[in-house]
């Protein structure tokens, strides 16, 4: 064998290996299965081996859920400010905006699912962990007020790792009360409000608009709760069940109405929107 053996063997395409894009393969964080990213995307980013639901961006979520070309974004320019002049916050915001192409951690707009019109919000975990600052709360509430004015049902996909965005201090915490008041307005005006909890939905978001839906769905295996598992174990000194704070656990405890696999989500939402539309037609 020539010097260098296998590693020096000339390649057919002029001695240069074909470039391999870094995102050609995706590894499942749960079972380690390595899938072709393209195949995984065709499978709605659900691991073919263990059923793990990979995180989605807000745009991916919307594209998978609504009728083609039916999404019309609103309030795209509502961005968080840096009211406290918190060290490095402005730079972090700018980096998150550049990385995601979003102004903040949620996208809202008009859409249709199987022809049923609605207002929809999708949170984006890739934008600072989906944390809730002033812009996120404002966008959610503006959408809810629009839903009341235009008598449209609301569907919100949540995704949030750390609750309120600490860099905005009280301005962030206030969004819990503000978004809860938004939901109260929907309830008072009899506008249907459906929440889909995706992995993870925690802390201030869970303790406000995410847990207040008329109907609460969740994706399989999603982590859902207020304080994390470690806080429970250490501070309460109790042994928690293995599936503590999963979507399935929350369904058993009555906090989630139904765990719905991603492949069935669009159909389930269409069914619910259809029933609600029928109900409304009877009432009028
Ligand atoms: Zn897997």
């Amino acid at each position: 064998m020539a010097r260098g053996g296998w590693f020096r063997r000339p390649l057919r395409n002029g001695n240069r290996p074909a470039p391999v894009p870094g995102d050609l393969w995706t590894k499942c964080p749960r079972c380690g299965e390595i899938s072709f990213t393209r195949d995984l995307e065709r499978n709605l980013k659900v691991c073919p081996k263990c059923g793990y639901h990979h995180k989605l961006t807000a745009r991916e979520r919307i594209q998978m859920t609504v009728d083609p070309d039916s999404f019309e974004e609103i309030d795209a320019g509502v961005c968080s400010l840096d009211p406290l002049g918190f060290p490095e916050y402005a730079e972090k915001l700018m980096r998150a905006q550049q990385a995601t192409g979003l102004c903040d951690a949620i996208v809202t707009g008009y859409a249709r699912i199987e022809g049923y019109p609605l207002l929809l919000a999708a949170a984006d975990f890739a934008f600072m962990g989906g944390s809730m600052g002033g812009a996120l709360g404002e966008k959610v509430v503006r959408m809810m007020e629009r839903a009341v004015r235009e008598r449209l049902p609301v569907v919100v996909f949540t995704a949030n790792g750390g609750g309120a965005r600490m860099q905005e201090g009280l301005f962030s915490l206030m969004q819990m009360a503000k978004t809860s008041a938004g939901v109260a307005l929907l309830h008072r005006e009899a506008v249907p409000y459906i929440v889909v909890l995706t992995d993870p939905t925690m802390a201030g978001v869970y303790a406000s608009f995410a847990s207040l839906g008329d109907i609460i769905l969740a994706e399989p295996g999603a982590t859902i709760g207020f304080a994390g598992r470690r806080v429970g174990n250490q501070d309460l000194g109790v042994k928690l069940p293995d599936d503590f704070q999963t979507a399935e656990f929350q369904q058993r405890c009555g906090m989630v109405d139904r765990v719905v696999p991603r492949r069935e989500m669009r159909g389930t939402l269409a069914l619910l929107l259809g029933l609600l539309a029928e109900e409304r037609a009877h009432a009028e």
Side-chain angles (χ1 to χ4, degrees):
M1 190 176 286
R3 204 166 140 246
W6 299 104
F7 304 104
R8 294 281 176 84
R9 194 157 53 169
L11 294 160
R12 277 191 204 130
N13 58 348
N15 278 351
R16 312 194 79 190
V20 178
D23 55 359
L24 191 63
W25 303 92
T26 304
K27 189 175 176 182
C28 172
R30 191 203 277 164
C31 75
E33 173 83 352
I34 293 171
S35 309
F36 245 133
T37 301
R38 223 175 28 205
D39 291 345
L40 192 66
E41 281 166 358
R42 268 192 221 119
N43 203 34
L44 306 180
K45 289 204 169 177
V46 176
C47 173
K49 194 172 171 197
C50 75
Y52 175 77
H53 284 48
H54 287 257
K55 287 187 180 64
L56 299 178
T57 66
R59 302 271 182 227
E60 286 172 330
R61 177 78 61 186
I62 292 165
Q63 197 232 328
M64 270 180 208
T65 309
V66 308
D67 297 350
D69 301 323
S70 71
F71 188 71
E72 188 191 323
E73 189 168 356
I74 53 172
D75 300 319
V78 176
C79 293
S80 273
L81 300 174
D82 182 12
L84 308 181
F86 196 91
E88 297 175 28
Y89 182 43
E91 293 79 16
K92 263 191 189 158
L93 267 179
M94 204 190 298
R95 275 203 302 275
Q97 286 165 349
Q98 283 166 352
T100 59
L102 303 178
C103 225
D104 212 276
I106 202 160
V107 176
T108 55
Y110 294 95
R112 283 178 180 270
I113 296 177
E114 300 280 347
Y116 295 108
L118 70 149
L119 276 154
L120 179 135
D124 200 316
F125 188 81
F127 193 110
M128 296 183 74
S131 53
M132 178 162 63
L136 190 147
E138 178 69 17
K139 287 179 84 165
V140 167
V141 171
R142 281 194 195 185
M143 176 190 64
M144 288 171 172
E145 287 171 345
R146 212 182 265 256
V148 168
R149 282 199 304 274
E150 303 182 26
R151 308 298 301 165
L152 287 170
V154 176
V155 173
V156 175
F157 286 86
T158 62
N160 175 287
R165 197 175 292 165
M166 63 163 192
Q167 293 92 336
E168 291 181 35
L170 268 180
F171 293 95
S172 273
L173 285 181
M174 205 180 77
Q175 307 309 315
M176 290 175 67
K178 184 166 139 180
T179 53
S180 300
V183 178
L185 179 69
L186 295 179
H187 288 174
R188 201 166 54 234
E189 299 291 330
V191 173
Y193 175 46
I194 301 173
V195 178
V196 184
L197 305 169
T198 78
D199 187 47
T201 298
M202 299 295 289
V205 166
Y206 185 60
S208 59
F209 66 96
S211 54
L212 295 172
D214 298 312
I215 299 166
I216 301 180
L217 309 176
E219 283 201 322
T223 303
I224 298 159
F226 183 61
R229 182 185 181 89
R230 271 172 300 176
V231 176
N233 270 337
Q234 285 163 13
D235 296 355
L236 305 176
V238 290
K239 172 90 177 72
L240 299 167
D242 288 343
D243 67 345
F244 181 63
Q245 288 184 335
T246 60
E248 293 75 10
F249 173 87
Q250 298 290 21
Q251 186 181 18
R252 276 207 311 281
C253 296
M255 301 302 285
V256 163
D257 294 307
R258 193 167 160 205
V259 177
V260 180
R262 194 169 284 166
R263 189 160 288 286
E264 296 169 23
M265 189 59 78
R266 187 178 137 82
T268 303
L269 289 172
L271 177 74
L272 291 170
L273 292 169
L275 290 171
L276 289 164
E278 227 172 86
E279 181 71 21
R280 196 180 144 199
H282 277 297
E284 280 171 0

